[in-house]
Amino acid sequence: MKVGVIGLGVMGRPMALHLQRAGHDLHVWARRPASVAGLPATVCQTPAELGRQCEVVFTIITSSADVEHVALGPDGLIEGMAPGSVLVDCSTIAPEAARHIAARLGEKGIAMLDAPVSGGAQGAIDATLAIMAGGEAEVLARVRPLLECLGQRIVHIGPSGAGQVAKACNQMIMVAAIQAAAEAIRLAAASGVDCGKVRDALAGGSAASRVLDVMGERMVRRDFAAGIEARLHHKDFGLVLAAARQSGVPVPLAAVVDQQLNALMAQGWGRDDTASLLRVLELL
């Protein structure tokens, strides 16, 4: 198929390469020319041009406003994509934004899935992402072979916006677990205990998790170089709390984690890894 990708960052670039290696004709667009360097792809000048070339377009970019601009703005995908084509948005954005974009594209006969992903940079590299899809089941069935190039677990959550609700739930649990790991490592250090041995012990018991494996190890080694930048989790928690307010759902743990992320950002660590939540605790 002729497939387009917009958003060639730490996750989008390996995802694009998986699609190309699977035999698909890859087209890309990027705001920064350096992002497309070395990619075996046709480089387009605008999202609209990319849309005209492709049957399916993937986007994985930062914010609701960014996705809306690329999809619906001047020279946006809506000006190029043909009726019957599909936009698969793998970004993490607000559910209502996903529904709005899908409705606007639908007026032109363009289908959309909100299909945010979980698994981080390594999951993108290994093609082991979890993909949570909102939209029509028939559209998901059409693009499932492409999604299977990217991930191992593909779940249809429900109608437009449902994928983004699932991603908000994912971020709530994951970042809360990072905060819990940070507090445990901080307690171990303050008690004069070997943090690495504590982590090793916990990894064999009921507290074992991928977060403890990966982020706990980062904290023990004090490796705060970004895997996924903390500013993105901070952005995601803004979406989490907004969704909770709109639904009237109390989320006390998420609210505390959000405050810790705010403190992280205030220290200028937004482009470091979210393991920097440990450093926030060390300031107290």
Side-chain angles (χ1 to χ4, degrees):
M1 297 178 70
K2 292 186 176 182
V3 177
V5 177
I6 295 175
L8 300 167
V10 67
M11 307 253 321
R13 187 179 182 92
M15 291 166 67
L17 287 169
H18 287 310
L19 292 166
Q20 189 273 332
R21 289 167 185 155
H24 300 290
D25 185 3
L26 181 64
H27 294 67
V28 297
W29 175 81
R31 287 176 294 184
R32 295 183 296 275
S35 299
V36 303
L39 275 176
T42 299
V43 179
C44 300
Q45 298 305 307
T46 65
E49 180 187 331
L50 181 142
R52 279 190 287 272
Q53 302 291 328
C54 298
E55 302 161 74
V56 179
V57 176
F58 287 82
T59 48
I60 179 162
I61 46 186
T62 302
S63 70
S64 301
D66 291 334
V67 178
E68 185 163 350
H69 181 75
V70 164
L72 306 178
D75 287 325
L77 292 169
I78 196 170
E79 296 185 6
M81 295 179 74
S85 58
V86 182
L87 171 61
V88 182
D89 179 41
C90 297
S91 316
T92 299
I93 63 173
E96 65 269 22
R99 289 189 282 265
H100 170 68
I101 296 166
R104 286 283 309 279
L105 292 174
E107 294 170 1
K108 300 284 189 177
I110 304 163
M112 176 178 168
L113 295 176
D114 52 286
V117 299
S118 179
Q122 197 60 50
I125 292 167
D126 296 339
T128 57
L129 295 169
I131 302 171
M132 27 208 121
E136 295 182 6
E138 181 273 332
V139 176
L140 175 59
R142 284 171 55 198
V143 302
R144 182 175 285 271
L146 296 175
L147 296 176
E148 288 173 346
C149 298
L150 310 176
Q152 294 181 333
R153 183 184 293 266
I154 303 162
V155 179
H156 183 221
I157 307 297
S160 291
Q164 294 298 343
V165 173
K167 182 60 184 289
C169 295
N170 180 88
Q171 300 305 79
M172 290 172 73
I173 294 171
M174 183 187 66
V175 185
I178 298 172
Q179 175 67 21
E183 293 183 17
I185 295 297
R186 180 70 184 115
L187 175 60
S191 302
V193 174
D194 187 311
C195 298
K197 291 181 178 178
V198 169
R199 177 198 163 276
D200 290 346
L202 298 181
S206 298
S209 69
R210 186 163 181 262
V211 165
L212 182 63
D213 288 344
V214 176
M215 305 301 274
E217 178 65 19
R218 282 179 172 272
M219 293 173 194
V220 168
R221 292 190 287 108
R222 302 193 66 77
D223 175 11
F224 301 114
I228 296 295
E229 294 179 357
R231 67 185 180 90
L232 300 177
H233 286 148
H234 180 258
K235 178 266 297 183
D236 293 349
F237 258 66
L239 299 175
V240 165
L241 294 184
R245 284 193 297 271
Q246 290 167 4
S247 299
V249 174
V251 287
L253 178 56
V256 171
V257 174
D258 183 61
Q259 289 302 308
Q260 294 298 104
L261 289 167
N262 286 340
L264 184 158
M265 296 295 291
Q267 292 299 317
W269 296 331
R271 293 194 178 273
D272 293 342
D273 195 87
T274 310
S276 294
L277 284 169
L278 174 63
R279 292 193 281 178
V280 174
L281 295 170
E282 292 169 343
L283 295 173
L284 302 177

